[in-house]
Amino acid sequence: MKLYVVGLGPGEQSQMTVKALEAIKNSDTIVGYGVYVDLIKDIVEGKEIITTPMKKEVDRCHMAVKAAISGKNVSMVSSGDAGIYGMAGLVIEVLSEYENHNVEVEVIPGITAASSASSVLGAPLTHDFAVISLSDLLTPWEHIEKRLSLASEAGFVICLYNPSSKKRADYLNKACEIVMKNLPKDTPCGFVKNIAREGQESVILTLEELKDAKVDMFTTVVIGNRTTKIVDGKLVTPRGYNI
Amino acid sequence: MKLYVVGLGPGEQSQMTVKALEAIKNSDTIVGYGVYVDLIKDIVEGKEIITTPMKKEVDRCHMAVKAAISGKNVSMVSSGDAGIYGMAGLVIEVLSEYENHNVEVEVIPGITAASSASSVLGAPLTHDFAVISLSDLLTPWEHIEKRLSLASEAGFVICLYNPSSKKRADYLNKACEIVMKNLPKDTPCGFVKNIAREGQESVILTLEELKDAKVDMFTTVVIGNRTTKIVDGKLVTPRGYNI
């Protein structure tokens, strides 16, 4: 049977790929965190829906794998790209624990927040970039600090996922302090809240202003490099063409 | 008028988003490098098509902008995500040279090669990653070397775009030598040629083997970090959950 791991993109169905829509259509069972399943509720009517709370990712994978082994086509859905900080790796690992199955995993990519946030802000990722999650739930904070420091030293544009949460209210502030050792305070930056969802809001500001900005877990942040500039109110990292 | 900058994704139309398909449908004029326009030739019949050769990117942007100013809805298309090493930034810059126009630019993201290659290989981008182009056409090679070195030191999974061309046949070899200073020779890596196109081919191999691999400009390369492993023949960077 097929076990699709489907990236839903930023939120609105029009930003899903045709392949993602078809995988969901071909599935008997949809597995996902409730908020994600809500994004597609009108196209999953009549299907078996398995939702689990957050932080129950491993359980969710076992449920999806068992449903597929029992003879169902299953779509495990998550927002953005299922392969980028998503569930695709965990599904592959969990499935490998089972023997003698006829389940084939297919990862169907979606638009990740780096792409969708950048498209709202302008074109900041025209050049080499690094993607860093500020969540230290599964990564020691010292590793995150090191990555922020080396990425800014290397001249990458930096895209931050999970920049804040209730427990980590000051993490974006700390992150900006670190990159400011390598970048001017007036480096152009931006963030987008609720991309392609109700209440979408985008802000372009300096690195110094970003340090004190109020963001939440539904925000994606972009920190420019030394060439990033603001053109007609949009954040642009030039690729280097003479125009 | 609307000037859409549309990412077509890796190649097959089913990996385009609904929004990208609609933008093309709503356009009077399609502008792009011939190879990209060919990917969508069946859905652009009857529209005005403006193609230019490679390396004429600035001319192409002026043509697109002029068509939009003259009152047409225009889609400027490129493969992958138009905002990631794509034309979105250049379109915004070129448009800013014109005054008194009523053209609104909308960047419509597509599935970038980091996402599509990873979905074919497994799930190598479950953790922080860096995207680096090995093309030194617009970036000095010393900058690329520095980024390779610092990205591998920081523990990023590294995704390489444009790993080779006729003039740069040994660049992937040089890049592997650099990251090998920070990573074991047996680090799991992978590459995908012609993603979602005729002749798609994917290979999982060690960093040492990658050093001598034959790749071309239609290849995307992924270099794992110290936690990346091979699970059921797939390249997986675990997110850190206990399973």
Side-chain angles (χ1 to χ4, degrees):
Chain A
M1 304 308 297
K2 275 283 197 176
L3 173 44
Y4 302 104
V5 192
V6 182
L8 301 179
E12 62 192 4
Q13 276 179 30
S14 67
Q15 290 211 52
M16 288 174 66
T17 66
V18 175
K19 205 170 176 179
L21 286 164
E22 280 170 2
I24 289 166
K25 209 167 129 187
N26 291 338
S27 294
D28 310 297
T29 303
I30 309 294
V31 184
Y33 174 46
V35 174
Y36 302 150
V37 175
D38 275 354
L39 295 173
I40 49 166
K41 60 183 172 199
D42 58 314
I43 56 170
V44 297
E45 259 181 51
K47 296 181 188 294
E48 180 187 28
I49 311 284
I50 301 176
T51 60
T52 61
M54 272 190 96
K55 297 185 183 169
K56 290 284 178 196
E57 287 82 2
V58 179
D59 294 352
R60 210 185 300 155
C61 289
H62 280 287
M63 286 173 185
V65 164
K66 282 176 184 162
I69 287 175
S70 80
K72 288 174 175 153
N73 287 321
V74 178
S75 278
M76 173 118 193
V77 299
S78 48
S79 67
D81 183 335
I84 294 181
Y85 303 107
M87 303 293 285
L90 199 56
V91 169
I92 294 167
E93 284 190 274
V94 166
L95 180 63
S96 76
E97 292 181 358
Y98 293 77
E99 280 172 11
N100 298 323
H101 61 74
N102 65 342
V103 176
E104 191 195 338
V105 173
E106 185 175 350
V107 182
I108 299 181
I111 304 290
T112 188
S115 285
S116 52
S118 294
S119 74
V120 173
L121 294 168
L125 302 187
T126 312
H127 228 286
D128 299 338
F129 64 98
V131 179
I132 302 175
S133 167
L134 292 193
S135 168
D136 60 353
L137 210 63
L138 299 163
T139 307
W141 177 252
E142 307 78 64
H143 290 206
I144 299 172
E145 281 194 337
K146 186 179 177 186
R147 286 174 188 164
L148 289 162
S149 177
L150 293 175
S152 52
E153 187 186 338
F156 287 112
V157 174
I158 299 172
C159 188
L160 300 178
Y161 284 39
N162 306 306
S164 187
S165 74
K166 277 178 194 163
K167 285 187 188 165
R168 301 181 284 107
D170 61 337
Y171 280 29
L172 178 61
N173 185 289
K174 286 188 199 173
C176 290
E177 290 278 5
I178 293 165
V179 300
M180 244 182 227
K181 289 178 189 154
N182 293 312
L183 284 171
K185 287 179 184 176
D186 61 353
T187 301
C189 299
F191 64 80
V192 188
K193 284 185 187 179
N194 302 311
I195 309 171
R197 299 185 198 184
E198 215 182 303
Q200 176 178 305
E201 184 192 342
S202 73
V203 177
I204 289 177
L205 68 186
T206 66
L207 179 53
E208 191 170 29
E209 290 162 347
L210 179 65
K211 197 163 77 73
D212 299 311
K214 293 263 172 291
V215 299
D216 59 23
M217 59 184 291
F218 301 108
T219 307
T220 306
V221 173
V222 178
I223 298 174
N225 69 12
R226 285 175 181 272
T227 69
T228 305
K229 58 186 182 178
I230 294 167
V231 182
D232 277 354
K234 294 179 161 59
L235 196 65
V236 174
T237 306
R239 182 78 183 105
Y241 298 97
N242 288 317
I243 63 168
Chain B
M1 304 308 296
K2 276 282 197 176
L3 173 45
Y4 303 104
V5 192
V6 182
L8 302 178
E12 60 192 6
Q13 276 180 31
S14 66
Q15 291 211 51
M16 288 175 66
T17 66
V18 175
K19 204 170 177 179
L21 286 163
E22 280 170 2
I24 289 167
K25 210 167 128 185
N26 291 339
S27 294
D28 310 297
T29 303
I30 310 294
V31 183
Y33 174 47
V35 174
Y36 303 149
V37 176
D38 275 354
L39 296 172
I40 49 166
K41 60 182 172 199
D42 57 315
I43 57 170
V44 297
E45 259 181 51
K47 297 182 189 293
E48 180 188 27
I49 311 284
I50 302 176
T51 59
T52 60
M54 274 189 96
K55 296 186 185 169
K56 290 283 180 196
E57 285 82 2
V58 179
D59 294 352
R60 209 185 299 156
C61 288
H62 280 287
M63 287 174 186
V65 164
K66 283 176 184 162
I69 287 174
S70 80
K72 288 176 177 153
N73 287 322
V74 178
S75 278
M76 172 119 194
V77 300
S78 48
S79 67
D81 182 335
I84 295 182
Y85 303 108
M87 302 293 284
L90 199 56
V91 169
I92 294 167
E93 285 190 274
V94 166
L95 180 62
S96 75
E97 293 182 357
Y98 292 77
E99 280 171 12
N100 298 324
H101 60 75
N102 65 343
V103 176
E104 191 195 338
V105 173
E106 184 175 352
V107 181
I108 298 181
I111 303 290
T112 187
S115 284
S116 52
S118 293
S119 73
V120 173
L121 293 168
L125 302 187
T126 313
H127 229 288
D128 299 339
F129 64 97
V131 179
I132 302 174
S133 166
L134 293 192
S135 167
D136 61 352
L137 211 63
L138 300 164
T139 307
W141 177 251
E142 307 79 64
H143 290 207
I144 299 172
E145 281 195 338
K146 186 179 177 186
R147 287 174 188 166
L148 289 163
S149 177
L150 293 175
S152 52
E153 188 187 337
F156 287 112
V157 174
I158 299 172
C159 189
L160 300 178
Y161 284 39
N162 305 307
S164 187
S165 73
K166 276 177 195 164
K167 284 187 187 163
R168 301 181 284 108
D170 62 336
Y171 279 29
L172 179 61
N173 185 290
K174 284 188 198 173
C176 289
E177 290 278 4
I178 292 165
V179 300
M180 243 181 229
K181 289 177 189 156
N182 293 312
L183 284 171
K185 287 179 184 175
D186 61 353
T187 301
C189 299
F191 64 80
V192 188
K193 284 185 187 178
N194 302 311
I195 309 172
R197 298 185 198 184
E198 215 182 303
Q200 176 178 306
E201 184 193 342
S202 73
V203 178
I204 290 177
L205 70 185
T206 66
L207 179 53
E208 190 170 28
E209 289 162 348
L210 179 66
K211 196 163 76 75
D212 299 312
K214 293 262 173 292
V215 299
D216 59 23
M217 59 183 290
F218 301 108
T219 306
T220 306
V221 172
V222 177
I223 298 174
N225 69 12
R226 284 175 181 272
T227 69
T228 305
K229 57 186 182 179
I230 294 167
V231 181
D232 277 355
K234 294 177 160 60
L235 196 64
V236 174
T237 306
R239 181 80 182 104
Y241 298 97
N242 288 317
I243 64 166

